[in-house]
Amino acid sequence: MKAFRVLLAITFCVSTLVSGKDRNRPLEVYSPNHTIKVQLLLQQGVPFYNVQRNDQPVIANSRLGFSLKDIPALEKDFKVIASKPSSFDETWTQPWGEVKNIRNQYNSLTVVLQEQSGLKRKLQVEFRVYNDGIGFRYEIPQQPNLKDFVIMDELTEFAIARDMDAWWIPAYSDDMDSECLFHKNNVTALSQKMHTPLTLESNDLYLSIHEAALIDYASMTLFNNGNKTLKCDLVPWANGDRVVASAPMKTPWRTIQIADKPGDLITSYLILNLNEPNKLGDVSWIKPGKYNGIWWGMHIKTHTWEGGPNHGATTANMKEQIDFASKHHLSSVLAEGWNEGWEGDWTVSGNFNFTKPYPDYDIAEISRYAKSKNIGLIAHHETGGNIANYERQLEDAFKFCAQYDIHRLKTGYVNRRPAGERHQGQFMVRHYHKVMETAARYKVMLDVHEPIKDTGLRRTYPNMMTREGARGTEYEAWSDGNPPAHTTILPFTRCLGGPLDYTPGIFDIQFKTEGTFRVHTTLAKQLALYVVIYSPLQMAADLPKNYEGKPALKFIEDVPTDWEETRVLQAEIGKYVTIARKDRNSADWFLGSITNEDERVVDISLDFLSPGKKYIAEIYQDGVGADVTTNPLPLDILTQDVTKASVLKLKLAKGGGTAIRFHETN
Amino acid sequence: MKAFRVLLAITFCVSTLVSGKDRNRPLEVYSPNHTIKVQLLLQQGVPFYNVQRNDQPVIANSRLGFSLKDIPALEKDFKVIASKPSSFDETWTQPWGEVKNIRNQYNSLTVVLQEQSGLKRKLQVEFRVYNDGIGFRYEIPQQPNLKDFVIMDELTEFAIARDMDAWWIPAYSDDMDSECLFHKNNVTALSQKMHTPLTLESNDLYLSIHEAALIDYASMTLFNNGNKTLKCDLVPWANGDRVVASAPMKTPWRTIQIADKPGDLITSYLILNLNEPNKLGDVSWIKPGKYNGIWWGMHIKTHTWEGGPNHGATTANMKEQIDFASKHHLSSVLAEGWNEGWEGDWTVSGNFNFTKPYPDYDIAEISRYAKSKNIGLIAHHETGGNIANYERQLEDAFKFCAQYDIHRLKTGYVNRRPAGERHQGQFMVRHYHKVMETAARYKVMLDVHEPIKDTGLRRTYPNMMTREGARGTEYEAWSDGNPPAHTTILPFTRCLGGPLDYTPGIFDIQFKTEGTFRVHTTLAKQLALYVVIYSPLQMAADLPKNYEGKPALKFIEDVPTDWEETRVLQAEIGKYVTIARKDRNSADWFLGSITNEDERVVDISLDFLSPGKKYIAEIYQDGVGADVTTNPLPLDILTQDVTKASVLKLKLAKGGGTAIRFHETN
């Protein structure tokens, strides 16, 4: 990991002393390229900030502050007692990721506010202004009149200064949490509390509001508080408290990514930059990769999680999966339903035992067999939301992993929330963090399903690899599924938070199960998703028998999960997106292009390829007559010699896609 | 109250004994007019029902049953041990309402199921089939092997058999509960839990799924469980239990209103019919009427709820309101913020005192003054969601009302839910019921804000008059407000549950307040809402000073709140609706017509008027150049002689409306 750091001289304009009649003059800080400006100002002692880009307002004056429990709010009567500008420029290397090197370049301004009367409490706000957006966080410093306290409301606002549409899913939707389809509405028509990332679009401006480094705080949701002002709403504890805290403390960063076009949101790494560097030291044991496993069969009801005649996680089935992984260059194998506790309504009881395999799952033999084939095992801890039960067993559960040389873990929190505590509240933020730290101690990589939302902690804890937190492929198995537009929205919304374990790769699109369920893509689109939706752990989700003998499987074998570079070539949110990524371990590039329910032809310039190099393009495209509804399976695989000067014409069927490997030949 | 009852002979076809090879033959029951058919059938012992209309499927086979806590589910291994057909026809009179006489005509089928092995428990399902839809409920009879139990899931499904769009708001949106804007999506695209009434539309079929007589149970929400199957999801207690019950018990009715056109949903009284008759005996003390009061001023920030220099509920302000009510034929006056407890963040503390007025609110003098003017007072109990605090004071609070001769009460449950218990769960269902019964004992009429959803209990408890449970006019004061389409959706969704206190009548559409808030209708549409949105207590919500001298005020003076008859003349959900209602206490008819953001011209045949009678139509219509955004105030008031043979051409501005009084002259 090579990183270099340049501390710039402070060259931008900012008041460092504010007194007398200048007290109400706004403090300002500009992005390094001078296009984005953030102002902090006091109006009758009440703090506001605003954001402009090229002198046009993006965020109008927006409140800052807190309501606290049983004591006066920290919201007014302020004066500025200090303001500290600073600057930073460093390029750091991700141990794994969608891009190798990330430049972290910003100007910052830290403003210290103090109440002018009464308790004379202090509140700091730090702004970091990047070329691709801003982040800010509160700090409540150590001080005599504010020690232990409860935040009842964070007053932070985002007053949208233009006419924009929002792509949103509801917050507080309880058991479903973030597993919803997205809606698009004008900001003025928003009437619910919404999850972040919340992405907004207009003709020439794209914003995404989210947070970075959510560690010991409540998740921020947003609602339209009128005048197009999105207000922060912190997910409460069961008793209504929002955040329990002690000074000194820092909140998560509130982030606003700002882009001219939607693809630039995807290649903005502002959220990662706002997280702390790797705390784990040597992370050479952390390895991206593809996996398969015993999972889809339960969703399409050919297998069961619980023991019995159709039990999925048996020794024999695992050996079949391990053989498949070994043959097709996958790195690891998952088994759900391997441990006792799945009987009855486990979403209610959650009484799982994390160290007791079912009798037909011989963990010692499976571990031995996997190791003999150089395949890793992925443990599975479904908690059913019974946090007390899981935390009681936590150390033992990870010792059990260590005993069987397991370094990958999928966790699950299906359905019930523990004792009234909300999925995204401070209680659960703490729980997920505890599991992540424990996993790191045991050298275990994490894939969290029904997770806390992703705020870029993978930078600090690189074992926090991927998570769900979206309506994934499993919904295709037992619900009306994910309409083709869904995956053309995810990259610009959910995926801005971080990697998504969408579990693509279903080849048997029209599987037989109860009802009329099916997958809502063409076969080619299933392949394209491996490039479009980034995840360092990427599943080949279908049953081995549905892959064997299929030429399309070669793309899954070839596609990497660790990237040197990412380029968004074309995109319109909810319609189509084309992404090219360069393999981190070879000279190859890969491309994924997907469309919504409409067919379309797109011309792709290959100018991202290296100059002077020749490539064979291995193209997996929708075959003649392919159509998501009537004929999803036709797939043409063709090869073509291309260079940087080439232009490819991609034909995407309704609900279709194209996946390409560009294999360098010289 | 005149009612007559006819018990019909059982003339429809239904198996009464099911045995041997007929065991799997469906049991059937038809609507009185034979258009709607409901079947109950067992598939391998699992009970299903379906609904057809004119031999076309409306609801495909849909599950019935329960999951229970710690004991086997009540869902399978059933046989039919009895089936009892019956029939009923009665016309009953509402003491007050949107229509005077309601025919309650149905055929019913009660099926007794028993498990064939194990605990051999019994489960009954009763279907009532009307010409305008169906209702069914479960009964768990007294039996040896099922006494006290906890329902963890009600398995009831509604498998939509056609391609339909749903008009929905999310359930579980916590503090906002049902105060959301509606969305329209194809059933297959629904991905969240939704409130009922849930209204579905296609070209020639309109459905609304809801429930009747929710008394000691959890509210039913719905989600798309795949294959267009909407599944019941009961709002849980904080610990995850759904319903705590003991046999014998009956669930609320699950209702499906079925109509050819959207207006027929509005004039379907199926939900009222499925509630029990009046339990209160003499209800001559219950009187519909219009009210004004100290309320809008707090929303537009000219007054405060809490005491202080801008306190709204002062003796002087109340006398002004009482004078206004007396002068303009309103019946009662509301004061919010009259009692101690509004200081600080009352939505968190909820520490209200319901018997202690602020010092500047002289309740004795106000009561005396109101009585001298023949005006009633409306008490206000804002609980802040602090149920323990309210229930502790409940008797004292009502004694206080009695002491000051107060027979109307507005309650409120803004924001925080008590100790983690959900707004629509069994805990709160019980609370709202307790308040309603207590109010009845003290002869107090209720107007509940932030209510439990309306399931027609006003039939049984006629003091339960109206409620909010929707995004009402107050949102116009401090949010981006209610787009013009909102009120063209409410009559077909929220209002199917029962009366809505929407608080119309804002004349100062473009009031001055912080920000750019305003009302999103024309002035004429404000008048039309008094007819379109039914409520037995209807507010004139604006400040007295904004009414004085305005000719439009005459319509508010004239419009009744108690109706003999209701006719929906034209309607398209989300676009426009025209409703005519006949006054219960005169020969006059009234008409309200409203549109969404589009202007339109509608021809209205007056054939609802009485034959041989002459009427003067007093027409309040959008004036020249009226437009919701640019010019909301122009209002033309004109009169025209009309008869049953007349046709009126109404011109509705963008976001506009027309209100008409048809005054009989001979």
Side-chain angles (χ1 to χ4, degrees), chain A residues 170 172 174 176 181 183 188-189 191-193 224-225 227-228 417 422 478 480 515-517, chain B residues 170 172 174-176 181 188-189 191-193 224-225 227-228 417 422 471 478 480 515-517:
Chain A
Y172 295 98
D174 215 53
M176 290 189 202
L181 295 176
H183 301 278
T188 58
S191 68
Q192 296 171 233
K193 293 180 182 168
N224 175 15
N225 202 22
N227 285 329
K228 297 190 291 189
R417 53 185 196 175
R422 294 179 168 287
W478 36 255
D480 283 341
T516 57
F517 305 123
Chain B
Y172 296 96
D174 215 50
D175 294 356
M176 290 189 201
L181 296 176
T188 58
S191 68
Q192 297 171 232
K193 292 179 182 171
N224 175 17
N225 202 23
N227 283 331
K228 297 189 291 189
R417 55 186 195 173
R422 294 181 168 284
R471 190 170 154 113
W478 36 255
D480 283 341
T516 58
F517 305 123

Short mmCIF file of all heavy atoms in Angstrom, two decimals, chain A residues 170 172 174 176 181 183 188-189 191-193 224-225 227-228 417 422 478 480 515-517, chain B residues 170 172 174-176 181 188-189 191-193 224-225 227-228 417 422 471 478 480 515-517:
data_model
loop_
_atom_site.label_atom_id
_atom_site.label_comp_id
_atom_site.label_asym_id
_atom_site.label_seq_id
_atom_site.Cartn_x
_atom_site.Cartn_y
_atom_site.Cartn_z
N PRO A 170 -38.35 4.41 1.35
CA PRO A 170 -38.74 4.87 2.68
C PRO A 170 -37.79 4.37 3.75
O PRO A 170 -37.25 3.26 3.65
CB PRO A 170 -40.12 4.24 2.87
CG PRO A 170 -40.08 3.02 2.02
CD PRO A 170 -39.23 3.37 0.83
N TYR A 172 -37.71 3.56 7.99
CA TYR A 172 -38.69 3.08 8.97
C TYR A 172 -39.67 2.09 8.37
O TYR A 172 -40.78 2.01 8.84
CB TYR A 172 -39.48 4.25 9.57
CG TYR A 172 -38.64 5.21 10.37
CD1 TYR A 172 -38.17 6.39 9.81
CD2 TYR A 172 -38.33 4.94 11.69
CE1 TYR A 172 -37.41 7.28 10.55
CE2 TYR A 172 -37.57 5.82 12.44
CZ TYR A 172 -37.11 6.98 11.86
OH TYR A 172 -36.38 7.86 12.60
N ASP A 174 -39.42 -0.85 8.62
CA ASP A 174 -39.44 -1.94 9.57
C ASP A 174 -38.81 -3.20 9.01
O ASP A 174 -37.66 -3.18 8.64
CB ASP A 174 -40.88 -2.21 9.99
CG ASP A 174 -40.94 -2.63 11.44
OD1 ASP A 174 -40.39 -1.90 12.28
OD2 ASP A 174 -41.51 -3.68 11.72
N MET A 176 -38.75 -4.62 6.34
CA MET A 176 -38.16 -4.55 5.00
C MET A 176 -36.95 -3.64 4.98
O MET A 176 -36.13 -3.74 4.09
CB MET A 176 -39.19 -4.04 4.01
CG MET A 176 -40.24 -5.08 3.77
SD MET A 176 -41.34 -4.66 2.45
CE MET A 176 -42.73 -5.70 2.94
N LEU A 181 -38.35 -1.12 -3.55
CA LEU A 181 -38.12 -0.55 -4.88
C LEU A 181 -38.05 0.97 -4.74
O LEU A 181 -38.70 1.56 -3.89
CB LEU A 181 -39.27 -0.94 -5.81
CG LEU A 181 -39.38 -2.44 -6.11
CD1 LEU A 181 -40.60 -2.73 -6.97
CD2 LEU A 181 -38.11 -2.97 -6.78
N HIS A 183 -38.55 4.93 -5.75
CA HIS A 183 -39.53 5.82 -6.38
C HIS A 183 -38.82 7.10 -6.77
O HIS A 183 -37.85 7.51 -6.14
CB HIS A 183 -40.65 6.15 -5.40
CG HIS A 183 -41.39 4.97 -4.91
ND1 HIS A 183 -42.39 4.37 -5.64
CD2 HIS A 183 -41.27 4.25 -3.78
CE1 HIS A 183 -42.85 3.32 -4.95
NE2 HIS A 183 -42.18 3.23 -3.82
N THR A 188 -40.62 18.48 -3.85
CA THR A 188 -41.78 19.05 -3.17
C THR A 188 -42.87 18.01 -2.89
O THR A 188 -43.73 18.24 -2.06
CB THR A 188 -42.42 20.18 -4.00
OG1 THR A 188 -42.80 19.64 -5.27
CG2 THR A 188 -41.44 21.33 -4.21
N ALA A 189 -42.81 16.88 -3.60
CA ALA A 189 -43.85 15.86 -3.42
C ALA A 189 -43.43 14.77 -2.45
O ALA A 189 -44.14 13.79 -2.26
CB ALA A 189 -44.21 15.24 -4.77
N SER A 191 -43.17 13.00 0.93
CA SER A 191 -43.96 13.13 2.16
C SER A 191 -43.59 12.09 3.20
O SER A 191 -44.29 11.96 4.19
CB SER A 191 -45.45 13.04 1.83
OG SER A 191 -45.79 11.75 1.41
N GLN A 192 -42.52 11.36 2.99
CA GLN A 192 -42.15 10.33 3.95
C GLN A 192 -40.72 10.50 4.40
O GLN A 192 -39.95 11.24 3.80
CB GLN A 192 -42.27 8.96 3.29
CG GLN A 192 -43.68 8.62 2.87
CD GLN A 192 -43.70 7.36 2.04
OE1 GLN A 192 -44.24 7.32 0.95
NE2 GLN A 192 -43.10 6.31 2.56
N LYS A 193 -40.37 9.78 5.44
CA LYS A 193 -38.97 9.71 5.83
C LYS A 193 -38.24 8.74 4.91
O LYS A 193 -38.77 7.68 4.59
CB LYS A 193 -38.86 9.29 7.28
CG LYS A 193 -39.42 10.37 8.19
CD LYS A 193 -39.35 10.02 9.64
CE LYS A 193 -39.98 11.14 10.45
NZ LYS A 193 -40.20 10.75 11.86
N ASN A 224 -38.86 15.71 3.92
CA ASN A 224 -39.09 17.04 3.36
C ASN A 224 -39.83 17.88 4.38
O ASN A 224 -41.01 17.67 4.67
CB ASN A 224 -39.92 16.92 2.08
CG ASN A 224 -40.28 18.26 1.51
OD1 ASN A 224 -39.70 19.29 1.89
ND2 ASN A 224 -41.24 18.27 0.60
N ASN A 225 -39.12 18.83 4.92
CA ASN A 225 -39.69 19.68 5.98
C ASN A 225 -40.31 20.95 5.41
O ASN A 225 -40.57 21.90 6.13
CB ASN A 225 -38.56 20.03 6.97
CG ASN A 225 -39.07 20.42 8.33
OD1 ASN A 225 -40.19 20.06 8.70
ND2 ASN A 225 -38.27 21.15 9.07
N ASN A 227 -40.55 23.79 1.84
CA ASN A 227 -39.60 24.63 1.09
C ASN A 227 -38.45 23.81 0.52
O ASN A 227 -37.31 24.29 0.50
CB ASN A 227 -39.03 25.75 1.98
CG ASN A 227 -40.03 26.84 2.20
OD1 ASN A 227 -40.85 27.11 1.33
ND2 ASN A 227 -39.96 27.48 3.35
N LYS A 228 -38.72 22.61 0.12
CA LYS A 228 -37.69 21.72 -0.43
C LYS A 228 -36.52 21.52 0.54
O LYS A 228 -35.39 21.31 0.13
CB LYS A 228 -37.19 22.26 -1.77
CG LYS A 228 -38.29 22.29 -2.83
CD LYS A 228 -37.73 22.60 -4.21
CE LYS A 228 -37.24 24.03 -4.28
NZ LYS A 228 -36.88 24.45 -5.64
N ARG A 417 -36.96 -7.10 15.01
CA ARG A 417 -35.92 -6.30 15.62
C ARG A 417 -35.91 -6.55 17.13
O ARG A 417 -36.96 -6.82 17.73
CB ARG A 417 -36.14 -4.83 15.34
CG ARG A 417 -37.50 -4.39 15.71
CD ARG A 417 -37.75 -2.97 15.32
NE ARG A 417 -38.92 -2.58 16.07
CZ ARG A 417 -39.44 -1.40 16.11
NH1 ARG A 417 -38.91 -0.44 15.43
NH2 ARG A 417 -40.50 -1.15 16.82
N ARG A 422 -34.59 -0.32 16.81
CA ARG A 422 -34.70 -0.25 15.36
C ARG A 422 -33.42 -0.67 14.66
O ARG A 422 -32.33 -0.46 15.15
CB ARG A 422 -35.03 1.17 14.94
CG ARG A 422 -36.38 1.59 15.41
CD ARG A 422 -36.66 3.01 14.98
NE ARG A 422 -38.04 3.32 15.17
CZ ARG A 422 -39.02 2.86 14.41
NH1 ARG A 422 -38.74 2.09 13.38
NH2 ARG A 422 -40.25 3.16 14.66
N TRP A 478 -39.45 -15.20 -4.81
CA TRP A 478 -40.70 -15.39 -4.08
C TRP A 478 -41.50 -14.12 -3.95
O TRP A 478 -42.35 -13.98 -3.06
CB TRP A 478 -40.44 -15.99 -2.70
CG TRP A 478 -39.18 -15.53 -2.04
CD1 TRP A 478 -38.03 -16.23 -1.90
CD2 TRP A 478 -38.92 -14.24 -1.42
NE1 TRP A 478 -37.08 -15.47 -1.25
CE2 TRP A 478 -37.59 -14.26 -0.95
CE3 TRP A 478 -39.68 -13.09 -1.25
CZ2 TRP A 478 -37.01 -13.17 -0.29
CZ3 TRP A 478 -39.11 -12.00 -0.61
CH2 TRP A 478 -37.80 -12.04 -0.14
N ASP A 480 -42.97 -10.48 -6.54
CA ASP A 480 -43.12 -10.03 -7.92
C ASP A 480 -41.79 -9.54 -8.48
O ASP A 480 -41.70 -9.16 -9.64
CB ASP A 480 -44.20 -8.96 -8.03
CG ASP A 480 -45.59 -9.59 -7.98
OD1 ASP A 480 -45.67 -10.81 -8.22
OD2 ASP A 480 -46.57 -8.90 -7.70
N GLY A 515 -46.12 -20.78 -7.74
CA GLY A 515 -46.47 -19.49 -8.31
C GLY A 515 -45.77 -19.27 -9.64
O GLY A 515 -45.29 -20.20 -10.28
N THR A 516 -45.69 -18.02 -10.03
CA THR A 516 -45.18 -17.69 -11.36
C THR A 516 -43.93 -16.83 -11.23
O THR A 516 -43.66 -15.99 -12.06
CB THR A 516 -46.23 -16.91 -12.15
OG1 THR A 516 -46.58 -15.74 -11.38
CG2 THR A 516 -47.47 -17.73 -12.36
N PHE A 517 -43.18 -17.04 -10.17
CA PHE A 517 -42.01 -16.20 -9.95
C PHE A 517 -40.94 -16.48 -11.00
O PHE A 517 -40.85 -17.57 -11.55
CB PHE A 517 -41.46 -16.41 -8.55
CG PHE A 517 -42.50 -16.18 -7.49
CD1 PHE A 517 -42.82 -17.16 -6.57
CD2 PHE A 517 -43.18 -14.97 -7.43
CE1 PHE A 517 -43.77 -16.95 -5.60
CE2 PHE A 517 -44.14 -14.75 -6.46
CZ PHE A 517 -44.45 -15.75 -5.54
N PRO B 170 -47.51 4.35 2.66
CA PRO B 170 -46.81 3.34 3.44
C PRO B 170 -47.40 3.19 4.84
O PRO B 170 -47.86 4.16 5.44
CB PRO B 170 -45.39 3.91 3.54
CG PRO B 170 -45.58 5.38 3.43
CD PRO B 170 -46.72 5.57 2.50
N TYR B 172 -46.27 1.85 8.76
CA TYR B 172 -45.04 1.87 9.54
C TYR B 172 -44.20 3.09 9.26
O TYR B 172 -42.98 3.03 9.40
CB TYR B 172 -44.19 0.62 9.27
CG TYR B 172 -44.84 -0.67 9.69
CD1 TYR B 172 -45.54 -1.44 8.78
CD2 TYR B 172 -44.77 -1.08 11.01
CE1 TYR B 172 -46.13 -2.63 9.18
CE2 TYR B 172 -45.35 -2.27 11.41
CZ TYR B 172 -46.03 -3.05 10.50
OH TYR B 172 -46.61 -4.21 10.89
N ASP B 174 -44.12 5.51 10.96
CA ASP B 174 -43.77 5.99 12.27
C ASP B 174 -44.46 7.31 12.60
O ASP B 174 -45.67 7.40 12.60
CB ASP B 174 -42.26 6.15 12.35
CG ASP B 174 -41.76 5.80 13.75
OD1 ASP B 174 -42.13 4.74 14.24
OD2 ASP B 174 -41.08 6.63 14.34
N ASP B 175 -43.71 8.33 12.88
CA ASP B 175 -44.32 9.56 13.34
C ASP B 175 -45.36 10.09 12.36
O ASP B 175 -46.34 10.72 12.75
CB ASP B 175 -43.26 10.66 13.53
CG ASP B 175 -42.31 10.30 14.66
OD1 ASP B 175 -42.55 9.26 15.30
OD2 ASP B 175 -41.36 11.04 14.89
N MET B 176 -45.15 9.87 11.09
CA MET B 176 -46.09 10.40 10.11
C MET B 176 -47.33 9.53 9.98
O MET B 176 -48.34 9.98 9.50
CB MET B 176 -45.41 10.52 8.75
CG MET B 176 -44.38 11.62 8.78
SD MET B 176 -43.71 11.98 7.18
CE MET B 176 -42.19 12.76 7.71
N LEU B 181 -48.48 11.54 1.27
CA LEU B 181 -49.08 11.66 -0.06
C LEU B 181 -49.22 10.26 -0.67
O LEU B 181 -48.40 9.38 -0.42
CB LEU B 181 -48.22 12.54 -0.96
CG LEU B 181 -48.09 14.00 -0.51
CD1 LEU B 181 -47.12 14.76 -1.41
CD2 LEU B 181 -49.45 14.69 -0.47
N THR B 188 -47.74 -5.25 -9.08
CA THR B 188 -46.47 -6.00 -9.11
C THR B 188 -45.29 -5.14 -8.66
O THR B 188 -44.24 -5.67 -8.33
CB THR B 188 -46.16 -6.53 -10.52
OG1 THR B 188 -46.11 -5.42 -11.41
CG2 THR B 188 -47.23 -7.50 -10.98
N ALA B 189 -45.44 -3.82 -8.69
CA ALA B 189 -44.33 -2.93 -8.33
C ALA B 189 -44.40 -2.48 -6.88
O ALA B 189 -43.60 -1.66 -6.45
CB ALA B 189 -44.31 -1.72 -9.24
N SER B 191 -43.60 -2.60 -3.13
CA SER B 191 -42.52 -3.25 -2.38
C SER B 191 -42.51 -2.87 -0.91
O SER B 191 -41.56 -3.18 -0.21
CB SER B 191 -41.17 -2.90 -3.01
OG SER B 191 -40.86 -1.53 -2.82
N GLN B 192 -43.55 -2.19 -0.45
CA GLN B 192 -43.56 -1.79 0.95
C GLN B 192 -44.83 -2.27 1.63
O GLN B 192 -45.78 -2.68 0.99
CB GLN B 192 -43.53 -0.26 1.04
CG GLN B 192 -42.28 0.34 0.46
CD GLN B 192 -42.40 1.84 0.38
OE1 GLN B 192 -42.17 2.42 -0.66
NE2 GLN B 192 -42.78 2.48 1.46
N LYS B 193 -44.84 -2.15 2.96
CA LYS B 193 -46.08 -2.39 3.69
C LYS B 193 -46.95 -1.15 3.59
O LYS B 193 -46.46 -0.02 3.69
CB LYS B 193 -45.77 -2.74 5.12
CG LYS B 193 -45.07 -4.08 5.19
CD LYS B 193 -44.71 -4.47 6.60
CE LYS B 193 -43.96 -5.80 6.56
NZ LYS B 193 -43.39 -6.14 7.86
N ASN B 224 -47.12 -6.71 -0.78
CA ASN B 224 -47.14 -7.58 -1.96
C ASN B 224 -46.22 -8.75 -1.71
O ASN B 224 -45.00 -8.60 -1.70
CB ASN B 224 -46.70 -6.79 -3.19
CG ASN B 224 -46.59 -7.68 -4.41
OD1 ASN B 224 -47.13 -8.78 -4.44
ND2 ASN B 224 -45.90 -7.18 -5.43
N ASN B 225 -46.82 -9.92 -1.54
CA ASN B 225 -46.05 -11.11 -1.21
C ASN B 225 -45.69 -11.90 -2.47
O ASN B 225 -45.33 -13.06 -2.40
CB ASN B 225 -46.89 -11.97 -0.26
CG ASN B 225 -46.04 -12.93 0.55
OD1 ASN B 225 -44.85 -12.71 0.73
ND2 ASN B 225 -46.65 -13.99 1.02
N ASN B 227 -46.63 -12.64 -6.88
CA ASN B 227 -47.80 -13.09 -7.65
C ASN B 227 -49.01 -12.19 -7.41
O ASN B 227 -50.13 -12.66 -7.34
CB ASN B 227 -48.18 -14.52 -7.28
CG ASN B 227 -47.25 -15.52 -7.93
OD1 ASN B 227 -46.71 -15.26 -8.99
ND2 ASN B 227 -47.06 -16.64 -7.27
N LYS B 228 -48.76 -10.91 -7.26
CA LYS B 228 -49.85 -9.94 -7.02
C LYS B 228 -50.69 -10.32 -5.79
O LYS B 228 -51.87 -10.00 -5.72
CB LYS B 228 -50.73 -9.80 -8.25
CG LYS B 228 -49.98 -9.24 -9.45
CD LYS B 228 -50.90 -8.89 -10.60
CE LYS B 228 -51.49 -10.14 -11.21
NZ LYS B 228 -52.21 -9.88 -12.44
N ARG B 417 -44.35 7.72 19.96
CA ARG B 417 -45.22 6.63 20.37
C ARG B 417 -44.80 6.15 21.73
O ARG B 417 -43.63 6.15 22.09
CB ARG B 417 -45.20 5.51 19.35
CG ARG B 417 -43.83 5.05 19.10
CD ARG B 417 -43.79 4.05 18.00
NE ARG B 417 -42.47 3.44 18.13
CZ ARG B 417 -42.05 2.43 17.44
NH1 ARG B 417 -42.81 1.86 16.57
NH2 ARG B 417 -40.85 1.95 17.63
N ARG B 422 -46.61 0.78 18.83
CA ARG B 422 -46.89 1.41 17.56
C ARG B 422 -48.29 2.03 17.51
O ARG B 422 -49.22 1.53 18.12
CB ARG B 422 -46.79 0.39 16.43
CG ARG B 422 -45.40 -0.12 16.25
CD ARG B 422 -45.34 -1.10 15.11
NE ARG B 422 -43.98 -1.37 14.77
CZ ARG B 422 -43.22 -0.52 14.09
NH1 ARG B 422 -43.70 0.61 13.66
NH2 ARG B 422 -41.97 -0.83 13.83
N ARG B 471 -53.04 13.39 5.46
CA ARG B 471 -52.25 14.61 5.34
C ARG B 471 -53.23 15.74 5.07
O ARG B 471 -53.71 15.93 3.95
CB ARG B 471 -51.27 14.42 4.18
CG ARG B 471 -50.22 15.50 4.06
CD ARG B 471 -49.19 15.05 3.03
NE ARG B 471 -48.54 16.17 2.42
CZ ARG B 471 -47.25 16.50 2.57
NH1 ARG B 471 -46.48 15.75 3.33
NH2 ARG B 471 -46.74 17.53 1.95
N TRP B 478 -46.79 24.55 6.70
CA TRP B 478 -45.37 24.44 7.06
C TRP B 478 -44.65 23.32 6.34
O TRP B 478 -43.62 22.82 6.79
CB TRP B 478 -45.22 24.27 8.56
CG TRP B 478 -46.26 23.45 9.23
CD1 TRP B 478 -47.29 23.92 10.01
CD2 TRP B 478 -46.42 22.01 9.19
NE1 TRP B 478 -48.07 22.88 10.44
CE2 TRP B 478 -47.56 21.70 9.97
CE3 TRP B 478 -45.72 20.99 8.57
CZ2 TRP B 478 -48.01 20.39 10.14
CZ3 TRP B 478 -46.17 19.68 8.73
CH2 TRP B 478 -47.30 19.40 9.51
N ASP B 480 -44.19 21.49 2.05
CA ASP B 480 -44.45 21.78 0.64
C ASP B 480 -45.91 21.53 0.29
O ASP B 480 -46.33 21.74 -0.85
CB ASP B 480 -43.50 20.98 -0.25
CG ASP B 480 -42.11 21.61 -0.25
OD1 ASP B 480 -42.00 22.79 0.12
OD2 ASP B 480 -41.14 20.94 -0.61
N GLY B 515 -40.80 31.29 5.15
CA GLY B 515 -40.70 30.46 3.95
C GLY B 515 -41.75 30.84 2.94
O GLY B 515 -42.33 31.93 2.98
N THR B 516 -42.00 29.94 2.03
CA THR B 516 -42.88 30.25 0.91
C THR B 516 -44.12 29.36 0.93
O THR B 516 -44.66 29.02 -0.09
CB THR B 516 -42.13 30.02 -0.41
OG1 THR B 516 -41.69 28.65 -0.43
CG2 THR B 516 -40.94 30.93 -0.55
N PHE B 517 -44.53 28.98 2.12
CA PHE B 517 -45.66 28.07 2.21
C PHE B 517 -46.95 28.74 1.77
O PHE B 517 -47.09 29.97 1.86
CB PHE B 517 -45.79 27.53 3.63
CG PHE B 517 -44.53 26.89 4.11
CD1 PHE B 517 -43.91 27.32 5.27
CD2 PHE B 517 -43.93 25.87 3.39
CE1 PHE B 517 -42.73 26.74 5.71
CE2 PHE B 517 -42.76 25.28 3.82
CZ PHE B 517 -42.16 25.72 4.98
#
